[in-house]
DNA sequence: TTAAATGCAAAGAATTTGCATAACA
DNA sequence: TGTTATGCAAATTCTTTGCATTTAA
């Protein structure tokens, strides 16, 4: 599932891309993360690489299946090596921004009903599920933003 | 549930707001929608009202519970009079942007498990659920953006 | 006549894009 | 040597903010 640098470079070349010094550095930095990260966090680890290149490189890496990205409620997208967390879903607290991973099976029933009753295939991977963590759900005070 | 102009104006005043000509026009235009709308669509119906005022007015209307807004996958937020669609959830196709409303009960089981097993209270109203409509799920070709 | 609302311009955040130059294959 | 990649600046999209000026109560 494209977990090491060699596999990823092969996949890039197979897709007609080129692999130079900069791109190799980005791939290494991506693989060095063991949790999801933002483009900005990645860029901070590679000060010599321009942000536009970070975004473009993450784009091609996603194209070849080496990384995935998920949008949390507000704020920047989160990227992660595709090897990480295959069957988990992101759930984010809309109040404090805390996010957790839960088994995809939590949404199996909703997914089934959505498909059977509405013809929709739920994609739980590209956008996070939003709610309130225990702490923030406790301190109720209406539901603003 | 704040469905007519009178109730909404009372609620605004009760919250310490003032109701002038412009704000009344915005309220009327909001109530004239029978489906969810974007701030830009609302502004297009009120060319004499500045966009900043549209956003600010929608903000106070949300504060007093007259409207709600939901974020679809990408693109601008959707607003709707609070009277509309109380127990439905928005589901949007990440490919073509089509969106449908489904009964909130579709997510009851996921909601229950999230709460019991992870202490998270699912909020299905502020962000849409994302997936693929029948058409777009049919024409499979990987999962880009 | 004073607190709140509005217009306008500008700022903001997170990406994306056009273009000239540099690095690969 | 002919793409493909990169840097840089500028554009984009959606929304928010600061400030001076009007309105509402």
């Amino acid at each position: 599932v494209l977990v090491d640098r060699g596999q990823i470079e092969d996949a890039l070349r197979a897709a007609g891309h080129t692999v130079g010094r900069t791109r190799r550095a980005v791939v290494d930095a991506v693989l060095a993360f063991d949790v999801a990260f933002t483009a900005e966090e990645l860029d901070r680890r590679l000060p010599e690489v321009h942000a536009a290149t970070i975004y473009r490189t993450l784009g091609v890496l996603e194209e070849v299946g080496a990384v995935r990205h998920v949008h949390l409620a507000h704020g920047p997208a989160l990227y992660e090596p595709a090897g990480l967390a295959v069957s988990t879903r992101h759930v984010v607290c809309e109040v404090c921004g805390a996010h957790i991973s839960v088994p995809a099976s939590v949404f199996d029933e909703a997914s089934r009903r959505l498909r059977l009753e509405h013809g929709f295939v739920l994609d739980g991977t590209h956008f996070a599920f939003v709610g309130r963590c225990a702490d923030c759900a406790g301190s109720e005070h209406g539901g603003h933003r």
Side-chain angles (χ1 to χ4, degrees), chain A residues 53-101:
Chain A
T53 300
I54 295 287
Y55 282 106
R56 278 191 282 230
T57 305
L58 286 171
V60 304
L61 289 177
E62 189 146 29
E63 237 177 79
V64 301
V67 308
R68 274 186 278 108
H69 80 269
V70 56
H71 300 279
L72 298 176
H74 287 295
L78 236 44
Y79 291 81
E80 56 190 353
L84 249 49
V86 203
S87 54
T88 59
R89 298 295 177 253
H90 291 276
V91 181
V92 57
C93 174
E94 64 192 330
V95 177
C96 70
H99 61 280
I100 59 173
S101 292

Side-chain angles (χ1 to χ4, degrees), chain A residues 105-128:
Chain A
S105 62
V106 165
F107 298 97
D108 280 354
E109 174 67 8
S111 192
R112 195 181 63 77
R113 290 193 53 185
L114 224 37
R115 180 168 33 79
L116 297 179
E117 298 166 19
H118 305 282
F120 241 86
V121 179
L122 183 65
D123 174 6
T125 67
H126 190 196
F127 284 83

Side-chain angles (χ1 to χ4, degrees), chain A residues 2 5 7-8 11 14 21 46 71 73 94 100 121:
Chain A
L2 298 191
R5 195 175 81 175
Q7 291 178 315
I8 293 176
R21 185 165 82 268
L46 298 166
H71 300 279
E94 64 192 330
I100 59 173
V121 179

